[in-house]
Amino acid sequence: MQKYIYKTDQYGIRNYSLLALGAAGVCLLYSVIALFALALLHFEEGALNSNINSYVDAFWTLQMSASTIGFGDHFPVTFGGRMVVALMFYVGVGLVGFIGALIAERMLGFADTNVKNRELRQQNSDILNHNKTLEKKIDLLITRVEEVASSRQTND
């Protein structure tokens, strides 16, 4: 199951699957809508001039709010209902934007910063190893120069 959600690279970094993130985003979005629909229905049911009279109406209203479409066929008339719809708007826009970004990533193939970060880590590791090798060679060279200088002083 874990291999479908993320893969761990050689640096121990988890790289999450776009499909898993998208599915989680959609599940979270509709879970929030389903929960908020209960609250919206609580405030709107029986209110004067209310046009949200069923759970389906409340669910539809919040779905339209989250998507920023807002057809206007259903709208809250109570203060509590308006607060629920406003909250759903802010939460929903974030979640819908997240899902949209994942779809754009998949379709348009934007540069994957995880790949670039892994490449930079590999380059940094190679440079560090090369520096250690050079440091050992410099230490050997210093030791050899000191030996030569010492033997010259002895011969003089």
Side-chain angles (χ1 to χ4, degrees):
M1 179 72 171
Q2 173 187 335
K3 69 179 182 175
Y4 297 112
I5 297 173
Y6 67 87
K7 294 178 183 171
T8 306
D9 64 15
Q10 68 263 26
Y11 300 103
I13 305 293
R14 288 182 181 175
N15 297 294
Y16 288 90
S17 160
L18 289 178
L19 182 61
L21 288 174
V26 169
C27 287
L28 180 60
L29 174 66
Y30 281 98
S31 296
V32 170
I33 290 173
L35 185 65
F36 283 14
L38 291 171
L40 180 59
L41 185 59
H42 169 74
F43 288 116
E44 294 295 312
E45 195 172 42
L48 186 63
N49 298 326
S50 177
N51 56 24
I52 300 173
N53 300 313
S54 69
Y55 181 80
V56 172
D57 292 343
F59 192 93
W60 175 254
T61 303
L62 293 177
Q63 186 172 350
M64 292 301 101
S65 174
S67 67
T68 71
I69 294 172
F71 287 129
D73 54 346
H74 296 285
F75 53 89
V77 296
T78 64
F79 179 77
R82 289 177 179 162
M83 290 295 103
V84 171
V85 170
L87 184 61
M88 185 67 240
F89 174 76
Y90 294 118
V91 171
V93 166
L95 288 171
V96 170
F98 172 73
I99 295 165
L102 291 174
I103 292 168
E105 168 76 22
R106 177 64 70 180
M107 291 176 65
L108 302 175
F110 293 122
D112 186 356
T113 55
N114 288 331
V115 171
K116 289 182 182 179
N117 288 339
R118 284 192 297 271
E119 290 171 356
L120 289 173
R121 283 189 185 95
Q122 183 61 50
Q123 289 173 358
N124 288 342
S125 178
D126 293 345
I127 290 169
L128 183 61
N129 289 333
H130 186 70
N131 286 348
K132 287 179 181 179
T133 301
L134 290 175
E135 189 176 326
K136 287 178 185 177
K137 288 182 179 182
I138 290 171
D139 287 344
L140 288 172
L141 182 60
I142 289 171
T143 303
R144 182 68 180 134
V145 167
E146 288 173 349
E147 288 173 0
V148 169
S150 161
S151 70
R152 279 194 174 177
Q153 285 178 354
T154 306
N155 289 340
D156 288 338

